[in-house]
Amino acid sequence: MQVNPQQLDYFTGARSRKVVLCKNPTHYPLRAGVLFSTWPMDSTRNDREFMQTALESARSAEQSGEVPIGAVVVLDGRIVSRAGNRTITDCDPAGHAEIIALREAALEIKNYRLLGATVYVTIEPCAMCAGAMIQARIARLVYGADDAKAGAVRSCFSILEHEKLNHRVEVTSGVLADECAALLKSFFAARR
C-alpha cells in the first residue's frame, strides 16, 4: 500500500498505534510498526543555527517584558514561523512561544497537521505545548535547556513518549543549553 505522507494522519494504525513520518513528499510503503525519519545526517549544525533563531525570538520577547522563551518551526529546511512568548502582551495564558509558532506555521502551510516539521524551542516545553505538538503531529522537537519545574518532555513528565498516544515525537535536547539557560537565569535574577 502506498501512502502520501501529507495524508498520514488518516493512517495512524489503530492496532499498532504507530505513525509513519517522513520529511520527503514522495510515497513510502506503509508498514505497521515502522517509523520513517529522513533527517539530514549533519543535523547538529542545522540544529544550532535554528536554535540561534529561537534565541533571537526569546530576546525579542524579553525586550517586550515577556519571559524570554523563543520557538521556531522548520519544514523542509526552511523556517515557516518563529515566535517569542506573548502571554503578557496578548493577555493570553496560552500565549507560549511554541503555541504561537505552531499556529502561525499551520496558517502558513494551510494545514493544521505539521507533518515532517521540527520545532526548536529554547526551554523544555510545558504540558500544554507538548500536547499541542502531538496534535500538530510534528516529527521532531529540539530544545535547549531542561525545565525542572514544568518540563513535560523529560523533566517532570514524558508526554511525547506516552504509550497510549498515537503519535511519537523524536526529541533532541541540550542544543545550546547553556546559552538558553543563561538567558532565563539573567531574566529572573533581574526581577528578584
Side-chain angles (χ1 to χ4, degrees), residues 126-188:
C126 70
M128 174 182 68
C129 295
M133 291 176 195
I134 289 170
Q135 294 302 315
R137 302 296 194 263
I138 69 154
R140 185 170 178 243
L141 165 67
V142 179
Y143 71 87
D146 288 328
D147 184 353
K149 295 182 180 180
V153 176
R154 294 194 173 138
S155 296
C156 296
F157 307 105
S158 297
I159 291 175
L160 299 180
E161 298 170 353
H162 197 282
E163 72 275 355
K164 292 196 176 190
L165 296 174
N166 66 348
H167 181 71
R168 301 289 184 279
V169 176
E170 179 184 337
V171 175
T172 303
S173 63
V175 176
L176 301 180
D178 292 340
E179 193 172 343
C180 293
L183 184 60
L184 282 165
K185 285 178 186 173
S186 66
F187 173 82
F188 287 114

Side-chain angles (χ1 to χ4, degrees), residues 63-180:
Q63 290 174 351
S64 299
E66 299 282 353
V67 175
I69 297 173
V72 173
V73 178
V74 174
L75 187 60
D76 295 326
R78 75 175 182 90
I79 295 173
V80 292
S81 69
R82 59 187 284 181
N85 266 12
R86 291 200 318 234
T87 54
I88 298 166
T89 304
D90 294 351
C91 198
D92 178 8
H96 291 197
E98 301 95 307
I99 298 293
I100 295 164
L102 289 170
R103 285 178 182 157
E104 290 177 1
L107 290 171
E108 174 68 24
I109 69 166
K110 297 176 179 32
N111 192 339
Y112 69 104
R113 297 287 197 218
L114 302 173
L115 298 173
T118 299
V119 173
Y120 293 84
V121 63
T122 56
I123 193 165
E124 181 181 4
C126 70
M128 174 182 68
C129 295
M133 291 176 195
I134 289 170
Q135 294 302 315
R137 302 296 194 263
I138 69 154
R140 185 170 178 243
L141 165 67
V142 179
Y143 71 87
D146 288 328
D147 184 353
K149 295 182 180 180
V153 176
R154 294 194 173 138
S155 296
C156 296
F157 307 105
S158 297
I159 291 175
L160 299 180
E161 298 170 353
H162 197 282
E163 72 275 355
K164 292 196 176 190
L165 296 174
N166 66 348
H167 181 71
R168 301 289 184 279
V169 176
E170 179 184 337
V171 175
T172 303
S173 63
V175 176
L176 301 180
D178 292 340
E179 193 172 343
C180 293

